[in-house]
Amino acid sequence: MAFFDVDETLISAKSMVAFHDWRFRQARGALPSLDEVVKSAGPGASRAELNRAYYRAFAGTAVADLAAAGRQWYDEYRRGAHAFVPAAVSALREHAAAGHLVVLVSGSHHACLDPLAEELGADRLLCTELRADAAGRLTGELARPMIGPAKAEAVRALLAETGVEARDCFAYGDHSSDLPLLQSVGSATVVGEDPVLLGHAAREGWARLPASAGPWRGDAGAGQGGASRSFPRSPSLR
């Protein structure tokens, strides 16, 4: 399996921020701004607390409406000249060509990630799961967060479910919060220049890829934006 963080690893933006800003513009101020959401978490809020404050702002929104908004946002986002990280997208395609199961792992949510996962041809998506009531409206609470150590926990659960050995797997991430994810597999790749991850890469011999942004290229082959690598083929788990 090949596990990919999403924000600033496969796409150049932070999807949660970009999506919220897009919804705020669409609503013409009827929704709280991102600054207001951050303030609602309180001074000195942790990353986990900020994450929960973000999702609390969805309370009362119909799941179907959020999903539709996510597709509209992604359809606009994907057209940007600097929307993707070509080197990481190329690596994803090389893993898929080798028969590896491709798994996206992100603290973002289905509304943002489902259309991206479909376009990239990902096999599985491990992301933040939101609670909804019987009427199909979001409560603002989380059924499962997916940040920091939770990513590695989700990876280990999937490996146990499928019987795949961690040593035979790959992971890609751009931020120090992805460290547990990268350490949970046999082969890790740092995307970009995070100093914490680069320190681990130097000590542990991890691969590196540039985080330079570029457009979507549906016809792009292996090696787009970075050195082409050959991965061992494996039996399909699809």
Side-chain angles (χ1 to χ4, degrees):
M1 295 186 188
F3 298 92
F4 287 82
D5 172 58
V6 175
D7 293 353
E8 299 180 310
T9 296
L10 288 169
I11 64 173
S12 62
K14 294 182 183 295
S15 60
M16 293 165 63
V17 173
F19 178 56
H20 187 94
D21 287 345
W22 180 87
R23 288 185 74 223
F24 181 77
R25 293 193 302 271
Q26 295 294 310
R28 300 183 183 276
L31 295 174
S33 69
L34 193 59
D35 284 343
E36 291 172 319
V37 171
V38 169
K39 288 178 182 177
S40 74
S46 67
R47 190 165 179 262
E49 290 167 338
L50 290 170
N51 188 261
R52 289 189 176 278
Y54 175 90
Y55 287 116
R56 279 197 296 271
F58 289 163
T61 303
V63 173
D65 290 345
L66 191 69
R71 290 189 177 277
Q72 291 172 7
W73 164 76
Y74 181 71
D75 187 57
E76 291 185 19
Y77 176 81
R78 67 181 296 282
R79 302 171 191 272
H82 305 286
F84 294 88
V85 180
V89 172
S90 177
L92 182 151
R93 287 172 165 149
E94 290 167 356
H95 282 290
H100 300 170
L101 202 71
V102 172
V103 184
L104 306 189
V105 190
S106 175
S108 192
H109 52 100
H110 281 283
C112 289
L113 298 175
D114 283 351
L116 171 68
E118 291 167 12
E119 181 148 56
L120 292 175
D123 299 286
R124 298 286 287 268
L125 172 59
L126 304 175
C127 68
T128 296
E129 302 285 351
L130 312 183
R131 291 192 185 279
D133 61 21
R137 292 191 173 275
L138 295 170
T139 66
E141 299 302 320
L142 304 182
R144 180 182 70 171
M146 190 61 66
I147 58 173
K151 291 183 177 181
E153 292 167 8
V155 166
R156 287 192 291 269
L158 183 57
L159 294 178
E161 173 191 328
T162 58
V164 176
E165 295 287 344
R167 65 174 177 268
D168 297 327
C169 295
F170 305 79
Y172 295 74
D174 71 287
H175 188 265
S176 58
S177 62
D178 295 320
L179 184 58
L181 167 67
L182 298 176
Q183 292 178 322
S184 67
V185 298
S187 300
T189 297
V190 176
V191 180
E193 303 293 330
D194 183 274
V196 172
L197 295 188
L198 291 182
H200 281 271
R203 290 190 295 273
E204 301 178 41
W206 291 351
R208 294 175 55 187
L209 287 176
S212 304
W216 170 256
R217 290 189 57 195
D219 60 344
Q224 178 192 4
S228 177
R229 293 177 289 170
S230 177
F231 298 111
R233 292 196 61 83
S234 63
S236 175
L237 294 173
R238 296 174 180 79

